Amino acid sequence: MGQFTADIEKIRDQARAHMEKGAVTVGYKADRKQVIAVLNDVLATEILCNLRYRRHYYMAKGMNAESIKAEFLEHAQQELEHADWVAERITQLGGEPNFNPEGLATRSHAQYVEGTSLREMVQENLVAERIAVATYSEIARWLNSDDPTTEKLIKDILKVEEEHADDMLNFLESMPGDDVPARLADPNQK
Ligand SMILES: [Fe+2]
Ligand SMILES: [Fe+2]
């Protein structure tokens, strides 16, 4: 690796000249507007996943429901935490987080499926997590170090979504009847 050199004076002048841009400096290599747009879709995904897990938490009934309910609630809270991280990053980039409920489901990568049985709920959450894992991996690759802070944020969230998917798969495998839904074969299918 070459030696790290930076013209501190120039950086200081530029920092002062572009003060209104907040965290965004001239060294920011990504397309800021596009990053904000992508993050707003992630925000919608996280809010929608929070809503789905909350619905499932209140609706889960039957054998083994207690441990699954607890997991649904924990996931719901983590999705909300992710939404907060993403909204904060959007404002750091000079954008506006989109919390408009209108169009939320369209902006989200994952879907809101209620499911009628505990098994269906777990399956739908697994599908949604797999969609999140696939799209967030793509986003991290696309950012490609042009915006290392956002890239790290997405990777931090991605790690949790992988754990969520694993949790759901473990529940599914411990349930009677082990048919895997066809939709799981293609994580990109909405
Ligand atoms: Fe999340
Ligand atoms: Fe998740």
Side-chain angles (χ1 to χ4, degrees):
M1 187 189 273
Q3 214 185 349
F4 176 77
T5 52
D7 185 342
I8 300 297
E9 278 305 315
K10 196 174 158 201
I11 291 171
R12 282 185 188 146
D13 287 347
Q14 284 170 336
R16 224 175 282 279
H18 300 285
M19 210 86 92
E20 78 282 1
K21 292 209 176 99
V24 181
T25 59
V26 284
Y28 187 80
K29 291 203 201 82
D31 179 338
R32 196 173 52 89
K33 285 218 167 70
Q34 225 185 318
V35 172
I36 291 165
V38 166
L39 286 181
N40 263 319
D41 289 348
V42 174
L43 177 62
T45 305
E46 296 296 340
I47 296 168
L48 186 128
C49 288
N50 166 265
L51 295 173
R52 195 193 53 254
Y53 273 122
R54 279 203 117 68
R55 154 85 186 190
H56 291 173
Y57 166 69
Y58 286 106
M59 292 301 288
K61 285 188 206 76
M63 274 207 307
N64 315 317
E66 284 316 307
S67 59
I68 297 181
K69 262 175 97 98
E71 203 69 27
F72 285 170
L73 183 62
E74 190 189 302
H75 287 200
Q77 283 158 346
Q78 286 170 325
E79 309 303 11
L80 205 53
E81 190 180 30
H82 297 165
D84 283 330
W85 294 346
V86 172
E88 195 181 357
R89 184 62 186 153
I90 290 169
T91 53
Q92 282 175 353
L93 291 172
E96 293 179 12
N98 188 353
F99 282 97
N100 193 341
E102 205 174 319
L104 180 80
T106 318
R107 297 196 301 276
S108 169
H109 304 136
Q111 283 181 305
Y112 181 89
V113 181
E114 292 176 344
T116 49
S117 65
L118 194 55
R119 185 183 176 78
E120 257 180 56
M121 292 178 200
V122 172
Q123 280 175 352
E124 288 307 327
N125 290 324
L126 177 54
V127 170
E129 295 295 353
R130 286 169 62 87
I131 289 168
V133 167
T135 51
Y136 295 177
S137 303
E138 273 308 309
I139 293 169
R141 259 194 295 275
W142 169 69
L143 286 165
N144 189 30
S145 306
D146 286 347
D147 177 342
T149 310
T150 304
E151 188 187 359
K152 182 180 184 300
L153 171 67
I154 293 295
K155 283 181 174 170
D156 288 347
I157 297 175
L158 176 61
K159 182 173 178 284
V160 181
E161 310 307 1
E162 285 177 350
E163 287 165 11
H164 287 175
D166 198 42
D167 292 339
M168 290 301 118
L169 185 61
N170 287 338
F171 280 135
L172 201 58
E173 284 173 347
S174 66
M175 285 174 158
D178 53 5
D179 51 307
V180 176
R183 291 175 58 202
L184 290 183
D186 180 9
N188 290 315
Q189 198 180 322
K190 285 210 174 181

